[in-house]
Amino acid sequence: GMAAANRIFKNFKNKMKLAITLLALVGAASAFAPQATYSRPSMRVFGEEPPEKGAGGMADTRDPDAKDDADPRKSISAAPSFEEYLKSRAE
């Protein structure tokens, strides 16, 4: 009667503890497994140089060409030469 039911319950509890422990171990191991990374090969046409990628992965926008726009906020003035820049720094 009662003793048999108690024994079955204890056995069940032990099996559950074992199952939970195993699941925890498997979960912990998978956390350290190397992740598969799928990167498509870069599509580069020979002779066509795409904009250089900067440190943040964005296309480099330094040294843009001068541009006049009706909206002065969108206008870009011509950059000084390096010599002109150094002279302006010296002043």
Side-chain angles (χ1 to χ4, degrees):
M2 199 61 189
N6 207 6
R7 222 177 315 128
I8 290 170
F9 181 69
K10 248 189 180 156
N11 193 10
F12 177 74
K13 255 174 53 176
N14 284 341
K15 282 214 168 100
M16 281 305 293
K17 277 185 188 168
L18 180 67
I20 289 168
T21 305
L22 284 174
L23 281 173
L25 284 173
V26 168
S30 68
F32 296 105
Q35 296 298 312
T37 53
Y38 302 103
S39 62
R40 59 192 178 90
S42 65
M43 303 290 286
R44 183 169 280 200
V45 180
F46 182 76
E48 188 180 310
E49 205 54 45
E52 214 45 49
K53 287 273 166 69
M58 300 292 287
D60 230 346
T61 54
R62 285 178 292 217
D63 197 21
D65 296 321
K67 177 182 147 203
D68 265 326
D69 198 281
D71 185 346
R73 292 171 298 179
K74 294 181 188 170
S75 293
I76 300 169
S77 56
S81 71
F82 190 60
E83 287 78 27
E84 289 170 335
Y85 165 73
L86 286 180
K87 271 188 213 144
S88 75
R89 293 275 308 199
E91 289 163 11

